[in-house]
Amino acid sequence: MKRKSHWKGLLFAGCMAVLIAGCGKKADTTDQPLPTPEATVEATPTPEEESIQESAQGEKKELPEGMVRSYLTGEPVPEAVGKRRPAAIMLNNIKAACPQFGISHAGVIYEAPVEGGITRLMGIFEDYDNLKKIGSVRSCRDYFIFYASGFDAIYCHYGQSVYAVPYLEEPEVDNLSGLEGYGSQVYYRTSDRKPPHNAYTSFEGIQKGIEINNYSQEYAPNYQSSYLFADDQHPVTLEDGITANKVTPGGYQYNTPWFSYNRETGLYDRFQFGESQIDEETGTGLSVKNIILQNSGWKKYDENGYLNIDVNTSGTGTYITGGKAIAITWDKKDPWGPTYYYDSNGNQIVMNQGKTWVCIILDTSADNTVIE
C-alpha cells in the first residue's frame, strides 16, 4: 500500500517558492504569500513530555483482548478501529446545510472561520464503519489540511480554494476530492437539499477512494498523538481553573455558537443558531468532554476574503473541561505534525477521556471570547 513520504520541515519551506510560482495562473498571491513555516524540529516528544504521557496513561485499566486506546478520545475501541488511520471530513456548517448527518461519530471536531464570516467544521472519524451517510461535505481551505495532517488522517473534501491546491499536491497529503475523476465513487448527492449543500460520503465511499488511490490505512510508523489522556481513576479537574459553565467562542458571528456545561453528564452541550446543534442521524444534540480554544494569527489572501490562518506560529488559547477552564499555549513542532498544548507552567496538558471540540479563534477576536 502506498504512503506518501514525509518530508522534513526545511524541505517543505524550500519548496513553497516553487509551488507559489506555479499557481500564478489561478490567483495572484504576491501580496499574500502562502504560509511558509520557518525551520522546524521533528514532532517527537521531549523527555518531559514522555514522562507526562507515562504518568497520564500508566494507570489505565488493562483492556480486553482486541481493544486499544483511541488516539482521538483515549477511550477503549476495537483494535481494527483504533489502529486504522482516521478520515478527516470537511462538513458544511451554514444554516441551510444543518443539521449535519453522522457528525456525532467524530472523535474530534475542528471549527474554523472561512470567508464571509461563516465557520466550517472538520470531523475526525475513526469509528464510522456503519455510516452510509456523512455530511454534507464541503470544500477545503488550506489550514484544515494541516490540522488533519496532525492526526495522520485521510483528508476528505468536495472541492477546494485555489490557495489550498499546492498543499493538496504535496506528498504528505493523502486526500479524497469530490472533483477528481473518481469523485462519484466516493461522494454522492441527495435530492433533499440544493447544491452545494447535498454532497455526502459514506464508509463504503471512503474505502473505495482509499483503494483507488492506494493509500495506506496504517498510521505512520513514527506517529504519536499530541493528546495525552487522564487515566481511568484520576479524571482532570482543573482545580485552579476559572468557572466555565458557558463558553462562547469569539468572532463566530454568523452561527453564534456556545457550549453549555451539563453537570449531570459532565459534558459540554453544543448550541448554534439559537438552538441545540443535533446530528440528523440520531436527532440528539452534540456533546463533548473537552473544548480547546486555539487563538491564531491570520491575514486575508485577497479581496474575496479568503483567510490565511497561521497554523505554525505558537499562540495562546484555553483548555476547558468539567466546568473549569485554564489558559494554555499551543505549538506545532512540524508543519505536518500534531499541535501540542501546554499549561502556564510549560507542561503538556492532560485531557479527560472523551470527544474534543477545537475552535480556531482569529487572534483579533480572542478578546471577544466569553467564559462564564
Side-chain angles (χ1 to χ4, degrees), residues 56-57 60 63 67-78 81-82 86 103-109 124-127 151 219 223 225-232 267 287-290 319 321 350-357:
Q57 299 181 338
K60 289 189 174 72
L63 298 178
M67 301 291 285
V68 297
R69 293 282 175 180
S70 165
Y71 282 128
L72 303 184
T73 67
E75 298 172 325
V77 295
V81 170
I103 187 173
S104 62
H105 293 259
V108 178
I109 297 174
I124 314 293
F125 293 79
E126 62 178 358
D127 186 6
F151 295 88
Y219 279 98
Y223 178 75
S225 172
S226 64
Y227 287 0
L228 303 183
F229 293 101
D231 64 63
D232 297 314
L267 304 176
S287 300
V288 295
K289 189 69 174 181
N290 308 293
Y319 170 57
T321 192
V350 178
M351 299 163 53
N352 277 318
Q353 296 180 33
K355 297 178 180 180
T356 298
W357 197 298

Side-chain angles (χ1 to χ4, degrees), residues 136-156:
S136 63
V137 182
R138 286 293 277 133
S139 58
C140 161
R141 298 296 179 269
D142 53 346
Y143 34 96
F144 281 104
I145 301 172
F146 293 94
Y147 302 140
S149 180
F151 295 88
D152 199 21
I154 295 169
Y155 183 60
C156 306

Side-chain angles (χ1 to χ4, degrees), residues 269-290:
D269 299 328
R270 162 77 177 196
F271 298 82
Q272 66 174 9
F273 300 117
E275 59 187 9
S276 175
Q277 182 174 0
I278 67 171
D279 185 333
E280 186 179 15
E281 179 197 19
T282 63
T284 58
L286 303 182
S287 300
V288 295
K289 189 69 174 181
N290 308 293

Side-chain angles (χ1 to χ4, degrees), residues 168-247:
L168 292 171
E169 295 173 349
E170 286 296 299
E172 289 84 354
V173 180
D174 289 350
N175 69 296
L176 300 176
S177 172
L179 298 184
E180 294 294 334
Y182 60 80
S184 62
Q185 298 182 68
V186 179
Y187 304 94
Y188 63 93
R189 292 195 180 274
T190 63
S191 59
D192 57 335
R193 293 177 182 171
K194 295 181 180 179
H197 311 309
N198 63 344
Y200 293 85
T201 188
S202 63
F203 175 78
E204 182 179 352
I206 292 171
Q207 292 301 305
K208 185 63 176 179
I210 291 171
E211 177 184 345
I212 291 171
N213 287 278
N214 199 29
Y215 292 150
S216 171
Q217 295 202 68
E218 297 181 358
Y219 279 98
N222 61 346
Y223 178 75
Q224 185 167 359
S225 172
S226 64
Y227 287 0
L228 303 183
F229 293 101
D231 64 63
D232 297 314
Q233 293 78 31
H234 303 93
V236 175
T237 59
L238 300 183
E239 293 181 0
D240 296 330
I242 64 171
T243 298
N245 290 322
K246 182 179 180 181
V247 180

Side-chain angles (χ1 to χ4, degrees), residues 5-17 40 170-172 336:
S5 61
H6 285 258
W7 293 1
K8 305 294 185 185
L10 285 171
L11 182 57
F12 171 86
C15 291
M16 283 299 98
T40 56
E170 286 296 299
E172 289 84 354
W336 300 110

Side-chain angles (χ1 to χ4, degrees), residues 107-119:
V108 178
I109 297 174
Y110 268 76
E111 181 172 19
V114 295
E115 62 284 351
I118 65 175
T119 68

